[in-house]
Amino acid sequence: MKALTYHGSKDVRVETMPDPTILAGDDVLLRVTATAICGSDLHLYHGKIPETKHGDIFGHEFMGIVEEAGPDVTNVRVGDRVVIPFVIACGKCFFCENDLFAACETTNPDQGASLRKRAKMTPPAALFGYSHLYGGVPGGQAEFVRVPKANVGPFKVPGSLADERVLFLSDILPTGYQAVLNAKIGRGSSVAIFGAGPVGLMAAACARMLGAERIFMVDSEPYRLDFAVTAFDVIPVDFGHVDPSEFILEQTAGRGVDASIDAVGFEAKGSTTETVLSTLKLETSSGEVVRQCISATRRGGVVSIPGVYAGFIHAFLIGDAFDKGLTLAMGQTHVQKFLPELLEFIEEGKLQPDIIISHRMKLADAARGYEIFDKKEEDCRKVVLTP
Ligand SMILES: NC(=O)c1ccc[n+]([C@@H]2O[C@H](COP(=O)([O-])OP(=O)(O)OC[C@H]3O[C@@H](n4cnc5c(N)ncnc54)[C@H](O)[C@@H]3O)[C@@H](O)[C@H]2O)c1
Ligand SMILES: [Zn+2]
Ligand SMILES: [Zn+2]
C-alpha cells in the first residue's frame, strides 16, 4: 500500500509499505477514504516530537470502510463506514470508565518512559501515527490502516453525510469542543482564542454554537484571521501589530475575557528568547501563548489549553495565575466521549466543520500538502487527502 512516512525534519514521503494485517482479535482493517493533516503533524514534521523514527507512518485524522474484522469485534462489521478517533482506548480501565479516554492506561507500551521522568506512572493512551512516545502505532495517511480496540474507537456515520462533513470528528472538532467546554463558555461569554489554525477555528465554531458573545481571535496570518471574521464573526487581533493581551484588556474594561483558549501550543511564535533557548535545547517549549492567556483572562476565569506542550517552560507566570484565581485545563482530547453529541450537531446543521477545508489533494501528493500547510502557502487552512 501507499503511505506517508517520516525520514527526518521536513522530509516526508509517500512510499510503498507492507499492507497492515489484523494482529489482535479486536482489530479491524480499514480502507481509508479520507484523511487530513493536523497542526499536531507539523510538530512531528519539524522533528520536535521525541521517539519519531524513520519510516513511521503519520496520520491520526482519518475515516474509511471496514475491510476486515477480527473475531472479537462486535461494534462494527465489514462494510461499515466509520470515523476513527485519534486516541486509542481500551474502554475498560479506570480512566476509560471515567470517560478519560486520552488517559487510557493500557494501550501505550511506553517506549518513552525515560522522558516522563517526573510522572512515575503509566503513560497516556496510544495515538495513531504519533511517535513511539505515544505507542508507535502506524497512522492513517495511508491506503489501509490497522485499527486496534475496534469495539471502542470506530464510530459509525450515516451515509447521508459526505466524508468531508464528518472527517473532523476524528480530532479537531472534538478538540475545539473540549477546549470550549473546559473554558466553560456559554451564552454571553467572552473568550480569546489564540491561534486561527484548524483547532482555533473549530473552537470558534463551538463557542458560537454555545452562545458566546464576543470572540477575540489572535494570530499573525491575515488570511486566517479574515476567514475567522467571515465564518465566525470574531474580533481579529494580529499579534504582529499589537500586544494581544493589552488589546483584549482595553476592550474588556481592563478586566479581561471570561476565558482564553491556547490553540497554538509549544511552537508558538513571538518570544525570541524562547526560540533561542529551545533551539539550544535549554527549554523545550515556548510559553508565549500561555503567558498571553494568563494576562488576557479575568480574575476567576479559565485558561483552556488544547495546544500541545512538551517538557518545560521557564517563564510561567504562576504568581499571576494564582493572584487571579484562574483555572487551568488542558490535555489531549477524550475524543470518544463527544462523538454522539457532535454528530447530532452536524446533522442538525449547527456545526459545519468542513467549511475550513482549503485544499483537497491526492494522498500521493501528501508531501506537498505538508509543505503548503506548514509554510501557510496558498492561504492554506486545512488539507484533506484521498487515497
Ligand atoms: N489537545 C489535543 O488533543 C489536540 C488535538 C489536535 C491538535 N492539537 C494541537 O493544537 C495546536 C493547533 O493545531 P492546528 O491544527 O490549529 O495548528 P496550526 O499550526 O495550523 O495553527 C496554529 C496557529 O497558531 C498561530 N500562532 C503561532 N504563534 C502564535 C502566537 N504567539 N499567538 C497566536 N497565534 C499564534 C499560527 O500562525 C497558526 O495559524 C497544535 O499545538 C496541535 O498540536 C491538540
Ligand atoms: Zn490532529
Ligand atoms: Zn482504557
Side-chain angles (χ1 to χ4, degrees), residues 38 40 60-61 171:
C38 178
S40 298
H60 59 269
E61 301 185 356
D171 176 354

Side-chain angles (χ1 to χ4, degrees), residues 6 9-10 41-49 267 374:
Y6 179 73
S9 178
K10 300 200 180 166
D41 291 324
L42 295 181
H43 305 317
L44 293 168
Y45 181 65
H46 297 154
K48 298 272 184 178
I49 305 289
E267 293 194 78
D374 182 39

Side-chain angles (χ1 to χ4, degrees), residues 89-97 101 103-107:
C90 74
K92 292 178 189 147
C93 72
F94 169 84
F95 293 110
C96 285
E97 285 194 334
F101 297 98
C104 176
E105 54 190 349
T106 70
T107 54

Side-chain angles (χ1 to χ4, degrees), residues 37-118:
I37 305 175
C38 178
S40 298
D41 291 324
L42 295 181
H43 305 317
L44 293 168
Y45 181 65
H46 297 154
K48 298 272 184 178
I49 305 289
E51 306 292 320
T52 305
K53 298 182 184 165
H54 286 224
D56 281 355
I57 301 174
F58 287 175
H60 59 269
E61 301 185 356
F62 57 93
M63 61 180 296
I65 309 285
V66 177
E67 187 87 358
E68 207 181 313
D72 306 329
V73 175
T74 51
N75 183 38
V76 290
R77 288 195 219 158
V78 171
D80 279 351
R81 179 165 168 260
V82 290
V83 174
I84 309 296
F86 77 94
V87 168
I88 303 170
C90 74
K92 292 178 189 147
C93 72
F94 169 84
F95 293 110
C96 285
E97 285 194 334
N98 283 287
D99 277 354
L100 297 167
F101 297 98
C104 176
E105 54 190 349
T106 70
T107 54
N108 185 348
D110 199 15
Q111 281 136 335
S114 59
L115 292 159
R116 295 198 180 87
K117 291 190 191 82
R118 306 225 167 198

Side-chain angles (χ1 to χ4, degrees), residues 194-259:
F194 288 77
V199 170
L201 293 173
M202 290 297 103
C206 293
R208 270 276 161 262
M209 177 180 74
L210 296 177
E213 192 175 309
R214 298 178 85 192
I215 306 177
F216 295 91
M217 185 146 232
V218 185
D219 206 302
S220 61
E221 295 293 341
Y223 78 90
R224 289 189 169 193
L225 288 172
D226 289 348
F227 176 82
V229 170
T230 311
F232 308 116
D233 193 20
V234 305
I235 303 162
V237 185
D238 184 338
F239 73 85
H241 293 121
V242 292
D243 180 273
S245 56
E246 271 174 27
F247 176 83
I248 290 162
L249 287 169
E250 275 166 23
Q251 301 289 315
T252 50
R255 277 190 209 108
V257 280
D258 298 324

Side-chain angles (χ1 to χ4, degrees), residues 39-40 43 171 175 197-199 219 224 263-264 269 306 308 331-333 373:
S40 298
H43 305 317
D171 176 354
T175 296
V199 170
D219 206 302
R224 289 189 169 193
V264 181
K269 291 180 280 188
V308 164
Q332 301 280 6
T333 307
F373 183 49

